[in-house]
């Protein structure tokens, strides 16, 4: 086995991480959350040539996919969202016309691999705990990031800012970016009332309809859409998450020209 000195390992990691950070201090799109909607949005955005970074609080990607339905390792997908999974070679088991069952681990891995292969960066262990704001017409122009480990330690450490032409809240039920942005900047003109009770078919339809821009520079996809528009939850059917991720990418691509 090739012998590698500790200094080589340390220098490689620090230098290469710094190269990435220097490049990522200014991006086209900052996606917050590496769940199904965030990974899907990132894949389409990166595929279209936009410099895209995903910030994920945990040291793993997948968000709510890993929990399946009440910890059973299966999720349900409905057409036309199957197309999104077929594009990343995720296997689907047909259940009935237009309805499929997917293994959670496969869906997590394939969506993440798809985003990475398209050119998106996924940075793990980072929390977005604020936004950057500018302008007479208040516009979100980036995110504020901190190591998850620092937030857990309770140490006072100032975070760093990352500029982005578009920020997408894909943080799931808690809509963390939208909650922070609206609380700190009431002039943005929106509130986050939280999602409504379960009504799967209606939830899936409305999620897609409501996905998009919340205020200048700030977009929403996935379950966070339900939180800001108070649409119902849907339980472990994930077609809406995938289509919402794809939709927000389409909206951003149109808006950024
Ligand atoms: C960095 C953050 C931050 C932060 C959170 O929950 P997710 O899977 O989100 P979606 O919207 O892509 O998918 C929702 C789906 O999983 C779900 O919960 C469904 C369908 N529920 C239906 C129902 O009825 O219950 O992923 C969000 C990701 C997670 O990995 C978080 O760790 C991460 O975002 N995250 N990352 N900074 N401030 N907040």
């Amino acid at each position: 086995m090739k012998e590698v000195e500790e200094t080589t390992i340390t220098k490689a990691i620090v230098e290469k991480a710094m190269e990435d950070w220097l490049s990522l201090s200014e991006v086209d799109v900052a996606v917050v959350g590496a769940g199904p909607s965030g990974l899907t949005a990132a894949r389409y955005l990166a595929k279209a040539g936009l410099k895209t970074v995903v910030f994920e609080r945990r040291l793993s990607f997948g968000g709510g996919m890993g929990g399946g339905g009440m910890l059973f390792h299966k999720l349900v997908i409905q057409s036309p969202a199957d197309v999104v999974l077929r594009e990343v070679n995720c296997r689907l088991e047909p259940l009935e016309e237009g309805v499929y069952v997917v293994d959670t681990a496969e869906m997590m891995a394939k969506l993440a691999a798809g985003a990475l292969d398209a050119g998106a960066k996924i940075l793990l262990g980072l929390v977005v705990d604020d936004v950057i704001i500018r302008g007479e017409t208040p516009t979100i122009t980036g995110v504020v990031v901190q190591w998850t480990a620092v937030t857990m330690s309770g140490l006072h450490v100032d975070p760093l800012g990352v500029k982005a032409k578009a920020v997408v809240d894909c943080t799931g039920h808690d809509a963390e970016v939208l909650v922070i942005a609206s609380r700190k900047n009431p002039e943005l003109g929106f509130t986050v009332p939280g999602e409504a009770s379960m009504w799967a078919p209606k939830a899936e339809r409305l999620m897609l309809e409501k996905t998009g821009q919340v205020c200048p520079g700030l977009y929403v996809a996935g379950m966070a859409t339900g939180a800001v528009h108070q649409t119902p939850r849907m339980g472990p059917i994930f077609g809406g998450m995938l289509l919402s991720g794809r939709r927000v990418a389409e909206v951003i691509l149109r808006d950024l020209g």
Side-chain angles (χ1 to χ4, degrees), residues 239-251:
M241 300 302 128
L242 303 176
L243 296 177
S244 174
R246 186 172 75 179
R247 170 72 56 86
V248 85
E250 288 163 1
V251 172

Side-chain angles (χ1 to χ4, degrees), residues 33 36-37 56-58 63-64 128 170 172-173 176 223 233-235:
S37 64
E56 168 55 50
R57 160 185 284 144
R58 300 186 206 167
V128 168
C170 292
H173 292 271
E176 285 194 22
M223 211 54 225
R233 67 189 302 182
M234 66 295 291

Side-chain angles (χ1 to χ4, degrees), residues 210-220 229 248 251-252 254-255:
K210 303 284 186 188
T211 291
Q213 195 185 62
V214 178
C215 68
L218 184 54
Y219 298 77
V220 67
H229 293 291
V248 85
V251 172
I252 291 170
R254 186 198 62 203
D255 288 358

